[in-house]
Amino acid sequence: MPSATFAGKVVAVNDEGFLENPDEWSEEIASAIARAEGIELTEQHWRVIKFMRAEYAEKGTGPTVRVLGKTSGVSIKELYLLFPKGPAKLAAKIAGIPKPRGCI
Amino acid sequence: MGDTIEKVSIIISKGSLEGIYPGLIMANGARAEGMEANLFFTFFGLDAIHKKRHEHIKVATVGNPGLHLATMAGGLPGMSSVMTHYLERKMEKLDIPSIPEFIEMISDTGAGLYGCKASCDLFEMTKDDLIDQVKDIITVGEFYEMAAGGQIIFT
């Protein structure tokens, strides 16, 4: 299993760089993953990331972009400005949860 | 990581519900994966971005063996509306957006929506007939220029 070092901590990741164990996540790790993706986290980013983690904790899976747009309070347009390379996918990666599965 | 797709250009050429949704899902999915995506509507596919028609897209019940209906039954008056209602209800339960809502959402993701010039000329449509999210009516040459370096998907 591959591993990566974020914020000085070695964590197990999958082939796409998603944390294998969401419990190993910390806010420092989130900032480090974001930086590696070219994103400096702002308050709005954190709002989405925390929403992703809460959804994952409750439902066992992260929301898709459509669900994020409807329920996180951040519009689809803004989500793509915050995470240009795919809001649900990138926010999940930074939030340390598995990539959301869903076609829409 | 291996090979990745960076850009897709998706052509929607049919005006039935089952002809339009796959292209929309692929465009939306491409943006969700961080790819650049452009949608090009041609021939009857233009109905998907037509102000007056995009709320009334129907399932084709004639010549559609996938519905497992007798050909004669598929042609009965109202059959297309009934099947469309049935499918739309199922889609709503799965939180699949309606075509107008889906197209607005895809535009919000930053994907480009374009109409085909030859088809607009043929059906006597102008940009005013098309929904506001449509960026432009373009020629096939302009489409290829825009699609250069990416994948082209025809539906």
Side-chain angles (χ1 to χ4, degrees):
Chain A
M1 192 183 289
S3 64
T5 309
F6 294 114
K9 200 175 163 214
V10 181
V11 288
V13 293
N14 71 9
D15 292 340
E16 284 188 286
F18 287 72
L19 293 203
E20 287 284 358
N21 181 4
D23 293 336
E24 286 186 324
W25 181 87
S26 68
E27 295 199 356
E28 291 70 37
I29 288 179
S31 298
I33 298 174
R35 228 170 287 127
E37 296 285 342
I39 296 174
E40 237 3 276
L41 295 179
T42 64
E43 214 170 291
Q44 268 310 69
H45 287 103
W46 280 112
R47 185 171 167 190
V48 178
I49 291 163
K50 285 178 179 161
F51 183 85
M52 295 289 286
R53 280 195 72 85
E55 282 280 299
Y56 177 75
E58 192 187 319
K59 297 176 182 156
T61 174
T64 61
V65 185
R66 168 158 168 84
V67 177
L68 265 183
K70 278 172 79 174
T71 53
S72 71
V74 181
S75 72
I76 296 218
K77 254 186 197 169
E78 195 184 347
L79 284 167
Y80 274 93
L81 289 176
L82 293 169
F83 304 97
K85 283 280 173 192
K89 183 179 154 186
L90 261 188
K93 196 176 197 178
I94 297 168
I97 64 169
K99 184 172 158 182
R101 288 192 78 234
C103 287
I104 290 161
Chain B
M1 281 282 274
D3 285 346
T4 53
I5 301 172
E6 298 293 332
K7 177 161 90 173
V8 289
S9 299
I10 299 167
I11 302 161
I12 294 181
S13 69
K14 297 188 179 73
S16 58
L17 187 124
E18 74 277 18
I20 292 170
Y21 265 107
L24 298 185
I25 293 172
M26 294 193 78
N28 182 59
R31 291 295 300 133
E33 290 295 322
M35 299 171 206
E36 191 184 332
N38 285 306
L39 271 167
F40 185 70
F41 296 86
T42 185
F43 265 79
F44 299 105
L46 278 172
D47 277 2
I49 49 170
H50 190 281
K51 270 181 195 161
K52 291 188 183 133
R53 296 185 186 154
H54 74 154
E55 283 173 4
H56 308 286
I57 303 292
K58 294 211 160 48
V59 179
T61 50
V62 174
N64 185 354
L67 277 183
H68 307 287
L69 268 181
T71 298
M72 296 283 280
L76 291 175
M79 187 54 91
S80 188
S81 295
V82 169
M83 286 307 292
T84 302
H85 263 290
Y86 171 72
L87 267 187
E88 280 175 347
R89 266 208 314 275
K90 286 193 86 163
M91 286 179 161
E92 212 179 313
K93 276 188 196 143
L94 290 170
D95 196 30
I96 299 174
S98 68
I99 285 175
E101 192 190 342
F102 207 1
I103 288 184
E104 191 184 335
M105 173 181 161
I106 290 169
S107 169
D108 283 348
T109 71
L113 309 182
Y114 299 91
C116 155
K117 182 167 189 320
S119 306
C120 284
D121 289 348
L122 180 64
F123 298 139
E124 295 174 16
M125 289 180 193
T126 66
K127 204 162 172 297
D128 290 341
D129 295 311
L130 305 178
I131 56 171
D132 297 340
Q133 286 88 356
V134 174
K135 283 191 179 159
D136 208 354
I137 293 173
I138 61 172
T139 66
V140 61
E142 286 159 353
F143 166 77
Y144 278 125
E145 259 173 48
M146 202 179 289
Q151 306 280 331
I152 296 176
I153 301 167
F154 186 89
T155 70

